[in-house]
């Protein structure tokens, strides 16, 4: 190629560059000139076949063209980028004087279980209880043995327990079947007087309209020197009154639990919640069994106390008229929109728990 046509090529390319109206067009020009098979690149490949003298002169000439084209490309690219930015700024202009859009806080909902836990925590905090916690995966010892449920005791079969694989010694961990092991954990590390509640998840192999394999309980434990059944009954009654925000009738029905003596089932009259004439079982309670105190190093001659455990999901269904327990855990947004609570409505006794 002679210098005349080299110059023509250069003029042609520079013209195309200036004419490119968008970054995409410019990129096409770049590829057609400097790309692997571009017009300038191909000239470089011819160098190999030339005589040394001619090669030197031609090489320099091609390099000059290449540098000019590359410079022009950069310049046009900067221009086009500035134009594109200017266009975006024109079209995407934000009007900061517009009202604020509803944000995620207005969209999100508190699950009824979380709401009820917060309400109960509020009620018990007001009575001087603190909150205790334990793990969902429990030892057999805390879930059963220390609660006066020895191995082979039939009560172990009552609560279709989920067991984990046994370790080398044959010891099996369990998914806790109730929140009562938190009683043990608390008494092992805290001296009386004790006043705690323990809300949390529990697990039993059971599933129908009112049972799910995972559900929620709240446990209460009070240990002191002169605690009696009257305190137990008053506490539960007071809690129900505050929770249901109306005067609910409650009764204790004699029952059996290995870890309490005497023991009772807690029933509440459903009149106020749309089921006149019915009693609904919401939990169990009793005076802590002396064996349980002894198992935790507490002297039953000096101390005694009461405990109760109630189903949180059950209480949510009753208070908020939710018919099917299984839907609590289906992660259905429409359900949550219907039954859920506003993030900004934190339950408090002063303003009415659920208003
Ligand atoms: N842990 C018992 C249950 O889940 C309830 C309970 C708790 C009963 C505390 C008495 C005292 O069935």
């Amino acid at each position: 190629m002679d210098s005349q046509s080299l110059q023509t090529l250069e003029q042609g390319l520079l013209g195309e560059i200036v004419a490119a109206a968008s970054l995409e067009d410019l990129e096409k020009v770049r590829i057609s000139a400097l790309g692997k098979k571009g017009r300038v690149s191909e000239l470089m490949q011819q160098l190999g076949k030339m005589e040394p003298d001619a090669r030197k002169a031609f090489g320099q000439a091609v390099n000059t063209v290449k540098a000019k084209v590359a410079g022009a490309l950069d310049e046009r690219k900067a221009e086009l980028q500035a134009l594109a930015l200017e266009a975006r700024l024109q079209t995407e202009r934000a009007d900061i004087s517009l009202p604020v859009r509803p944000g995620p806080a207005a969209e999100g909902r508190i699950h009824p279980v979380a709401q009820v836990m917060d309400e109960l925590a509020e009620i018990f905090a007001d009575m001087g209880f603190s909150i205790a916690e334990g793990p969902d995966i429990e030892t057999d010892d805390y879930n059963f043995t220390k609660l006066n449920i020895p191995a082979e005791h039939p009560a172990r079969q009552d609560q279709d327990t989920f067991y984990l694989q046994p370790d080398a010694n044959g010891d099996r961990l369990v998914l806790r079947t109730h929140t009562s092991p938190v009683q043990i954990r608390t008494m092992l590390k805290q001296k009386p007087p004790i006043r705690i509640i323990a809300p949390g998840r529990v697990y039993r192999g059971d599933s129908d309209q009112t049972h799910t394999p995972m559900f929620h309980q709240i446990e209460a434990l009070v240990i002191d020197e002169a605690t009696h059944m009257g305190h137990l009954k008053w506490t539960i009654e007071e809690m129900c009154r505050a929770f249901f925000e109306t005067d609910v009738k409650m009764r204790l029905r004699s029952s059996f639990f290995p870890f309490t003596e005497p023991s009772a089932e807690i029933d509440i009259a459903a009149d106020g919640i749309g089921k006149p004439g019915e009693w609904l079982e919401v939990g169990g309670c009793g005076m802590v069994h002396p064996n349980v105190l002894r198992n935790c190093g507490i002297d039953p001659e000096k101390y005694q106390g009461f405990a109760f455990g109630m189903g949180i999901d059950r209480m949510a269904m009753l208070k908020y008229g939710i018919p099917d327990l299984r839907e609590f855990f289906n992660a259905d947004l429409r359900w949550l929109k219907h039954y859920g609570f506003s993030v900004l409505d934190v339950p408090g006794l002063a303003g009415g728990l659920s208003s």
Side-chain angles (χ1 to χ4, degrees), residues 159 177-178 180 183 204 217 219 257 259-260 284-286 307-309:
Q159 309 186 338
T177 57
H178 49 182
S180 300
Q183 289 186 34
R204 291 181 202 174
Q217 284 190 335
E219 191 87 9
F257 297 103
F259 34 91
T260 46
C285 65
F308 60 81

Side-chain angles (χ1 to χ4, degrees), residues 36-70:
K36 249 200 188 124
K37 292 192 176 134
R39 283 167 281 175
V40 179
S41 311
E42 269 172 354
L43 291 179
M44 295 300 259
Q45 279 150 26
Q46 294 175 9
L47 287 175
K49 297 173 215 137
M50 296 174 115
E51 296 296 313
D53 283 351
R55 184 194 297 165
K56 192 172 173 207
F58 187 66
Q60 272 173 359
V62 175
N63 264 330
T64 311
V65 173
K66 194 178 167 186
K68 271 195 198 157
V69 169

Side-chain angles (χ1 to χ4, degrees), residues 109-149:
R109 286 286 186 284
I110 299 294
H111 194 282
V113 169
Q115 171 79 11
V116 167
M117 280 190 183
D118 288 349
E119 292 181 13
L120 292 172
E122 188 67 24
I123 292 169
F124 282 105
D126 193 54
M127 295 192 212
F129 285 70
S130 51
I131 295 181
E133 276 184 318
D136 290 15
I137 299 175
E138 221 4 310
T139 62
D140 192 282
D141 186 39
Y142 286 7
N143 194 77
F144 294 121
T145 316
K146 283 210 165 41
L147 284 164
N148 203 32
I149 315 175

